[in-house]
Amino acid sequence: MEKYVELLDRQNIPHHVAMIMDGNGRWAKKRGMPRLFGHRQGVETVEKIVRACVKLGVKQLSLYAFSTENWKRPQDEVSGLMRLLVEYFDKKTDQLNEEGVKIRVIGNVGALSKVAQQSIFNAEEKTKNNDVLGLNIAINYGGRDEIVQAVSRIARGVQEGTIAPDEINEEMVGQYLYTKGIPDPDLMIRTGGEKRISNFLIWQLSYAELWFTDVYWPDFDIETLAQAIYAYQNRERRFGGLSG
Ligand code: FPP
């Protein structure tokens, strides 16, 4: 059964895995169910995958839960998704905390409801000293939006005289992103068959290996994750250099 899990080189597990969790809607439709049923099942997969990452030794997991573009979806889907996210933080934080998971939400959190902001704050506060796995959940996140807010804050620093234009480099820009302090993803997985980045971590994914699967997110499991990691382990990462 567990074919790829056993094939993995445990010395070469990607430190940071990013995931675009696509296909919830189609998974539900195939079963004649409403889209939100698929998202609810998607939360179950999140739970399984967090444990799988801990088991395999992944240290950072970044999940694209709600993009800056997702507001365009029907109102009941938007509010349903937000409810699921708040429920996740409110009900699962204690358990995640016991397992050593450090929760961080990346995105424009200030534009979310006060209720959502409070849940996020509590989850981040409670788990801030953990170090088994960093779980970064992107909510109201857009890669371009992230870069724009970074540029804007850096520009303000220049205007106020605290930043010299010559000082601005890649490292500094990284310090102004939502992912400040988190190393860039090594592997990005997208489920659901589309082969796009969809505005997810566009700065941080510059050198990541990309892996796509037709599997819908609710059907994704530790074996599919191991398959992705196996593919990653058999690629040669050169970071723009030559092979050695
Ligand atoms: C894309 O599937 C999925 C989303 C927009 C939402 C992802 C959210 C979850 C899995 C649940 C909450 C997550 C956490 C971290 C608790 P889609 O709706 O675009 O599917 P489709 O392409 O088949 O329509």
Side-chain angles (χ1 to χ4, degrees), residues 21-26 35 39 42-43 46 63-65 70 73 77 81 85 88 137 217:
M21 312 179 284
D22 202 5
N24 294 343
R26 282 165 287 164
R35 295 177 54 79
H39 294 314
V43 178
V46 168
L63 301 175
Y64 205 5
N70 284 151
R73 295 192 176 200
E77 185 172 349
L81 266 170
L85 287 164
Y88 179 75
I137 303 182
W217 177 253

Side-chain angles (χ1 to χ4, degrees), residues 4 15 19-20 33 37 54 74 78-79 87 95 113 134 144 162 165 170 202 210 220 228 243:
Y4 286 102
H15 181 91
M19 296 190 189
I20 300 180
M33 299 296 279
F37 181 72
V54 171
V78 169
S79 54
E87 198 178 289
Q95 169 92 38
S113 72
R144 288 186 175 184
T162 53
E170 291 185 12
I202 51 176
L210 309 180
F220 191 78
S243 47

Side-chain angles (χ1 to χ4, degrees), residues 169-189:
N169 57 21
E170 291 185 12
E171 198 190 331
M172 181 190 282
V173 173
Q175 295 299 310
Y176 283 82
L177 301 177
Y178 298 129
T179 50
K180 175 178 186 229
I182 302 172
D184 289 343
D186 304 289
L187 170 65
M188 196 287 292
I189 297 170

Side-chain angles (χ1 to χ4, degrees), residues 15-17 59-62 102-106 134-137 146 174-175 177-185 201 203-204:
H15 181 91
H16 185 173
V17 179
K59 298 302 288 179
Q60 293 284 343
L61 172 65
S62 296
K102 177 178 182 167
I103 299 171
R104 175 143 148 201
V105 173
I106 56 174
L135 174 60
N136 314 301
I137 303 182
E146 178 181 40
Q175 295 299 310
L177 301 177
Y178 298 129
T179 50
K180 175 178 186 229
I182 302 172
D184 289 343
L201 299 176
W203 174 282
Q204 299 87 337

Side-chain angles (χ1 to χ4, degrees), residues 21-199:
M21 312 179 284
D22 202 5
N24 294 343
R26 282 165 287 164
W27 183 90
K29 192 171 174 212
K30 232 173 68 182
R31 287 160 177 77
M33 299 296 279
R35 295 177 54 79
L36 215 51
F37 181 72
H39 294 314
R40 194 167 279 285
Q41 195 59 40
V43 178
E44 299 295 320
T45 304
V46 168
E47 293 234 56
K48 280 193 291 185
I49 293 306
V50 166
R51 306 245 139 77
C53 284
V54 171
K55 183 172 166 186
L56 297 177
V58 171
K59 298 302 288 179
Q60 293 284 343
L61 172 65
S62 296
L63 301 175
Y64 205 5
F66 194 93
S67 75
T68 46
E69 288 74 37
N70 284 151
W71 297 107
K72 293 183 219 147
R73 295 192 176 200
Q75 176 56 37
D76 61 333
E77 185 172 349
V78 169
S79 54
L81 266 170
M82 284 298 161
R83 249 196 330 272
L84 277 180
L85 287 164
V86 169
E87 198 178 289
Y88 179 75
F89 294 122
D90 291 349
K91 291 198 179 151
K92 305 296 178 189
T93 295
D94 284 344
Q95 169 92 38
L96 291 166
N97 189 34
E98 277 170 31
E99 292 167 17
V101 176
K102 177 178 182 167
I103 299 171
R104 175 143 148 201
V105 173
I106 56 174
N108 183 2
V109 173
L112 301 177
S113 72
K114 288 281 170 280
V115 173
Q117 289 188 48
Q118 191 60 50
S119 292
I120 291 167
F121 179 78
N122 292 344
E124 289 183 333
E125 267 301 299
K126 193 169 254 177
T127 62
K128 68 180 179 199
N129 295 320
N130 295 337
D131 64 359
V132 174
L133 173 74
L135 174 60
N136 314 301
I137 303 182
I139 303 177
N140 196 19
Y141 174 90
R144 288 186 175 184
D145 178 64
E146 178 181 40
I147 293 170
V148 168
Q149 66 79 31
V151 169
S152 166
R153 285 196 292 139
I154 292 170
R156 200 165 307 127
V158 171
Q159 192 178 42
E160 288 165 359
T162 53
I163 297 173
D166 291 350
E167 273 184 295
I168 303 169
N169 57 21
E170 291 185 12
E171 198 190 331
M172 181 190 282
V173 173
Q175 295 299 310
Y176 283 82
L177 301 177
Y178 298 129
T179 50
K180 175 178 186 229
I182 302 172
D184 289 343
D186 304 289
L187 170 65
M188 196 287 292
I189 297 170
R190 180 172 188 149
T191 63
E194 312 289 353
K195 294 185 176 61
R196 289 192 286 271
I197 303 288
S198 299
N199 206 13

